[in-house]
Amino acid sequence: MIPPQEASARRREIEDKLKQEEETLSFIRDSLEKSDQLTKNMVSILSSFESRLMKLENSIIPVHKQTENLQRLQENVEKTLSCLDHVISYYHVASDTEKIIREGPTGRLEEYLGSMAKIQKAVEYFQDNSPDSPELNKVKLLFERGKESLESEFRSLMTRHSKVVSPVLILDLISGEDELEVQEEVPLEHLPEGVLQDVIRISRWLVEYGRNQDFMNVYYQIRSSQLDRSLKGLKEHFRKSSCSSGVPYSPAIPNKRKDTPTKKPTKRPGRDDTLDVETDAYIHCVSAFVKLAQSEYQLLMDIIPEHHQKKTFDSLIQDALDGLMLEGENIVSAARKAIIRHDFSAVLTVFPILRHLKQTKPEFDQVLQGTAASTKNKLAGLITSMETVGAKALEDFADNIKNDPDKEYNMPKDGTVHELTSNAILFLQQLLDFQETAGAMLASQETSSSATSYSSEFSKRLLSTYICKVLGNLQLNLLSKSKVYEDPALSAIFLHNNYNYILKALEKSELIQLVAVTQKTAERSYREHIEQQIQTYQRSWLKVTDYIAEKNLPVFQPGVKLRDKERQMIKERFKVSWGPPPSTASRCCGGDTDPESLCLGRFSFHLFAGQGFNDGLEELCKIQKAWAIPDTEQRDKIRQAQKNIVRETYGAFLHRYGSVPFTKNPEKYIKYRVEQVGDMIERLFDTSA
């Protein structure tokens, strides 16, 4: 059981808690009552506020709607006034802009175009709204007058500021291709930048608003004239430079192609420097045309509408292009006339020009892309003409070498190289500078399929065959000409000199390699011909050496005193001392000849002229001293060989008979020592000795 004291304490504690809870509950009841009262008050306030808002809205909305209407009315009034002002302004356009239009656009293009825009709009307004209005006629007339002024300004700007490109600038432009370092190409300034911008603006206005294409004709006529004058100025520059200094200023054309020579060509026989200048000038004019035409097209693209550019460009370049083509055809015509005259050196003008035209053709075709077919085909036609006349020249040259009639006149008296030979070789050497061009000329006349299938190799073989043909014709002609000489020895010297000249020329150039393409043994053949002519020449000395050769001399024992019977036998055997040679005398003469007469005959007999050794030696040396062998090596070789033969034979003769007592005055008949004979032969072929 719980003690009474604890139970009493527990009860008091519970009573205290209960009392506290009752107080809390009473506080909550009071708070709820206050909250309800506040809520009622708030609801009353809100209801009152809502009522007032309703009253305010009913008062404001009508005022707001009325204000909107007033604003709309104001805007309409303003728009109407603006439209009226705009319409009224069209009636003042003519008077406002007339002075500006009358004074023209020069110096104030921006303001002028602004005035023209106002006039354009006025014209459009009156056409749409009042087509019968007199104001329409006024603005139309003003517009036409303004358009004419713009056209005139376009012409004036193009005329005043389009300048001829100077020759030096053109040459620098062309020579720029030679620079090893790649440089950015600087375009030519045909018009000052400010003028160019004005021209562009005028052209665009005329196309868009003026509905006028006449300015394009003005453009191409002015630029065409400048292009043509620039090319003519370049050509005149070459003429003046050649007259003043003999050598025109001329940057080298790029040597980037196999066909281009890497050294200055040998001067052509009979070639006029004037022709070289004309050729050089024409070649540069062709390159200049390409560069200037490219530049003209760049300028044209900024000024002329795109769909008119090709046609305008075609018209622009016609005069300059026709001038080039006409000059080219004149060159072809001159070449044809030169062929008729057999002046083949003049025909060589065609070769560098044709080569350059073919090299330039890709650029030409690119520049002329989009032009008329007749324009594109002009260069191709000129190339064909040049190839045809070039092939004709080559063919006629070969025939002329074969049939050259000059056999009696202009033959070199000293047996040196004939002019025909030197001219032929020089002509062929010129072809080396134009191998591909000449080969293409020959190939262009061929109709075989191989000509197109293997053009490069085929052309090379054709050129090789052609050169061999010319050399063969030359050899035949030289053989024919050599018969003009009465002396076979001089004929041999003549052929030797010419054959040797040909061989040396072949060896010093690429001709020998080109000949070897179709004729492998050409070099060996010429050496055999040269050696054959040397042997023919050496036979001319047999008339001297054979007479004193041991085989034609009497046999006797040196130092043994001749008995009368033996002396008589010698007299009978060598009775003839001033007649034909021993072999002939033994057949035609049967009488006795004494030893003295025999020995005298050996020293003074000449096989053909009835002279002795001394006279024969002197006569041959006198004659052959006037002959010529230009090649030092060959001259020394021939003289040395002949000197050895004669000295050996003469020395043996002196050794055998020099001590024979055939006369009391031997010095009268033994005129020369062996060394002297050698010295005399050493002076052969030397007109200065």
Side-chain angles (χ1 to χ4, degrees), residues 356-374:
H356 187 68
L357 290 179
K358 295 178 77 172
Q359 291 174 350
T360 313
K361 190 175 185 300
E363 292 182 271
F364 241 100
D365 293 341
Q366 185 177 7
V367 170
L368 301 183
Q369 187 178 9
T371 57
S374 58

Side-chain angles (χ1 to χ4, degrees), residues 182-231:
V182 178
Q183 298 180 354
E184 182 179 356
E185 184 174 344
V186 180
L188 292 173
E189 185 182 75
H190 295 289
L191 297 171
E193 183 60 28
V195 174
L196 176 60
Q197 294 305 319
D198 286 351
V199 168
I200 292 173
R201 292 205 63 187
I202 294 174
S203 69
R204 290 177 179 174
W205 190 94
L206 290 173
V207 171
E208 185 175 357
Y209 302 107
R211 306 292 191 270
N212 186 350
Q213 299 180 4
D214 292 342
F215 77 94
M216 300 180 196
N217 296 332
V218 172
Y219 177 85
Y220 90 71
Q221 289 169 1
I222 294 174
R223 294 308 308 169
S224 175
S225 174
Q226 299 303 323
L227 175 60
D228 192 45
R229 289 171 60 193
S230 296
L231 292 176

Side-chain angles (χ1 to χ4, degrees), residues 479-503:
L479 283 171
S480 178
K481 291 181 185 300
S482 69
K483 296 176 182 178
V484 172
Y485 296 110
E486 296 180 358
D487 192 332
L490 181 56
S491 177
I493 290 296
F494 171 76
L495 291 175
H496 164 273
N497 284 332
N498 282 271
Y499 291 158
N500 185 65
Y501 179 87
I502 294 171
L503 178 60

Side-chain angles (χ1 to χ4, degrees), residues 257-460:
R257 302 170 174 88
K258 179 182 178 182
D259 196 42
T260 306
T262 57
K263 61 182 180 179
K264 185 176 179 60
T266 307
K267 184 172 176 61
R268 306 178 182 96
R271 186 89 172 124
D272 189 350
D273 286 339
T274 304
L275 294 178
D276 288 328
V277 171
E278 293 294 331
T279 299
D280 203 25
Y282 185 74
I283 287 174
H284 280 77
C285 284
V286 170
S287 294
F289 172 82
V290 173
K291 290 296 183 184
L292 292 177
Q294 289 173 342
S295 182
E296 287 292 345
Y297 193 75
Q298 293 299 319
L299 177 66
L300 177 142
M301 290 173 64
D302 292 332
I303 299 174
I304 304 300
E306 183 176 358
H307 54 287
H308 292 287
Q309 289 174 359
K310 294 295 184 182
K311 182 179 179 181
T312 304
F313 180 69
D314 197 339
S315 301
L316 188 155
I317 63 173
Q318 282 303 313
D319 286 348
L321 181 59
D322 287 344
L324 279 179
M325 295 303 105
L326 177 60
E327 190 171 352
E329 290 297 340
N330 289 339
I331 292 171
V332 172
S333 178
R336 290 195 182 102
K337 294 177 181 178
I339 292 173
I340 296 174
R341 301 191 309 269
H342 292 171
D343 180 12
F344 297 101
S345 62
V347 181
L348 289 170
T349 302
V350 173
F351 286 78
I353 293 175
L354 176 59
R355 180 185 63 191
H356 187 68
L357 290 179
K358 295 178 77 172
Q359 291 174 350
T360 313
K361 190 175 185 300
E363 292 182 271
F364 241 100
D365 293 341
Q366 185 177 7
V367 170
L368 301 183
Q369 187 178 9
T371 57
S374 58
T375 302
K376 294 178 183 176
N377 295 333
K378 287 180 179 180
L379 180 62
L382 179 59
I383 288 175
T384 300
S385 297
M386 287 194 170
E387 283 188 331
T388 301
V389 75
K392 174 66 173 173
L394 293 175
E395 178 184 353
D396 285 15
F397 177 77
D399 292 341
N400 185 67
I401 292 296
K402 180 179 181 180
N403 303 317
D404 178 52
D406 186 8
K407 294 181 180 179
E408 298 182 3
Y409 303 101
N410 295 328
M411 288 293 289
K413 296 180 180 180
D414 57 0
T416 190
V417 178
H418 196 278
E419 183 181 8
L420 179 68
T421 301
S422 59
N423 286 350
I425 293 299
L426 285 173
F427 186 88
L428 294 180
Q429 287 174 336
Q430 291 300 311
L431 295 186
L432 284 178
D433 295 335
F434 311 100
Q435 292 184 41
E436 293 184 5
T437 303
M441 284 179 177
L442 297 170
S444 68
Q445 306 305 304
E446 296 290 327
T447 57
S448 62
S449 59
S450 60
T452 56
S453 300
Y454 308 96
S455 57
S456 179
E457 183 64 27
F458 182 77
S459 298
K460 187 174 183 179

